[in-house]
Amino acid sequence: LAQSGVLAKADEDRLIDAILRSEPGTMVLARHYHTDPERFSQHALRNLGGSGSPASHVDAVIVGGGLAGLSAALTLLDRGGRVVVLDKEAVFGGNSAKASSGINAVDPSAANLTDSVEAYERDTLVSGGLQGNPLVHVLAAKSGETLLWIRERLHLPLDQVGQLGGHSHARTYRPSTGLAGSELIAALNRQVKKYEGTPMLTTMKKAEAVGLLRGPEGRVEGVRVKHLKDGSVAEVRARNVILATGGFAANHQSGSLVDKYRPDLTGYATTNGPFATGDGHRLAMDAGAAAVDME
């Protein structure tokens, strides 16, 4: 690449040095971009803090460090993205860490498969009392590749399967080594932590998203963050914002989303952690986002 003028000789030397010492981020990028040397060099130099892009550039800020947030973070990191993950709590995991049942999926590799995406979709609509929510189709249709990603990328077998309530087939997969939620979060944390200490990943804990930053045309350009330890407020700007804050059942304040959508449940206890107060829903709705099936 240096001979062709694509890279400076110094940058090529840095990439070679990183590969020879098996620098984790560089090796992951090499696997993903082995057929596109120019994109590999661009992202790898950014990972190493080189000339691939400005040091201040952030591809995505992810609000919430549970299963959804960490999965999004790892997916972006593996593809060369620069990511900020923030969470109100002192540790990542959220309600996901407490989940015990497993991951529902139609596994195309299962022996003697009688299940189908259509059956999974139908079961979900019937048991949830839903009327054709298109997101249910995405959930069911993508479930097989999600299961494969967990097994191959997180190295978590999910080797047990059972039939749980609301399902017409055995499609709830769980590990034999422990509770599904805690094992999934542990596996995700192991992979995400490999990017810590690199320019690719910034984590912010005890940090609450209190507002979205908007550009002159209304486009969301980042998040306003309150540091809960000292009350200071900062801005995190990014090309994309991913809201993965979980549910809202633990918000018992007057005028909460529970009051709005399920007033019959106001005052009831919840298995959700105290952090599940609908922060992401509020941020999105305040920005003009529509909601569906909030009940």
Side-chain angles (χ1 to χ4, degrees), residues 59-64 68-69 71-73 76 83-84 86 212 220 223 238-245 280:
D59 291 294
V61 55
I62 300 171
V63 186
S71 296
L76 289 168
V83 176
V84 175
L86 62 95
L212 297 177
V220 175
V223 177
R239 285 184 176 180
N240 302 280
V241 174
I242 298 175
L243 300 176
T245 59

Side-chain angles (χ1 to χ4, degrees), residues 76-242:
L76 289 168
L77 288 164
D78 281 351
R79 286 154 179 76
R82 185 168 293 208
V83 176
V84 175
V85 183
L86 62 95
D87 196 284
K88 289 193 299 187
E89 299 299 294
V91 295
F92 289 150
N95 284 320
S96 304
K98 301 188 294 181
S100 58
S101 298
I103 295 290
N104 300 317
V106 178
D107 182 4
S109 67
N112 304 315
L113 180 66
T114 59
D115 198 2
S116 68
V117 168
E118 292 74 20
Y120 182 8
E121 186 174 355
R122 183 172 58 252
D123 289 347
T124 304
L125 291 169
V126 170
S127 62
L130 305 175
Q131 300 296 323
N133 184 332
L135 298 177
V136 175
H137 175 72
V138 176
L139 172 73
K142 297 288 186 178
S143 64
E145 62 188 77
T146 298
L147 189 65
L148 181 65
W149 183 79
I150 291 170
R151 287 169 168 168
E152 293 189 350
R153 181 64 185 89
L154 303 186
H155 311 295
L156 189 62
L158 296 182
D159 48 356
Q160 304 291 312
V161 63
Q163 182 175 341
L164 272 64
H167 296 279
S168 58
H169 294 76
R171 64 167 73 101
T172 303
Y173 292 84
R174 63 189 185 278
S176 57
T177 51
L179 296 179
S182 59
E183 291 293 302
L184 277 164
I185 291 297
L188 268 167
N189 270 319
R190 281 193 295 271
Q191 300 305 320
V192 170
K193 283 182 177 179
K194 293 179 181 180
Y195 288 97
E196 289 185 348
T198 77
M200 304 281 283
L201 174 65
T202 300
T203 59
M204 303 171 66
K205 297 175 182 177
K206 300 295 289 183
E208 180 180 2
V210 294
L212 297 177
L213 304 177
R214 311 287 291 276
E217 298 181 358
R219 186 183 187 279
V220 175
E221 297 182 343
V223 177
R224 186 172 295 105
V225 180
K226 180 179 180 181
H227 296 281
L228 300 180
K229 289 184 178 180
D230 59 13
S232 62
V233 177
E235 294 184 351
V236 180
R237 296 192 174 272
R239 285 184 176 180
N240 302 280
V241 174
I242 298 175

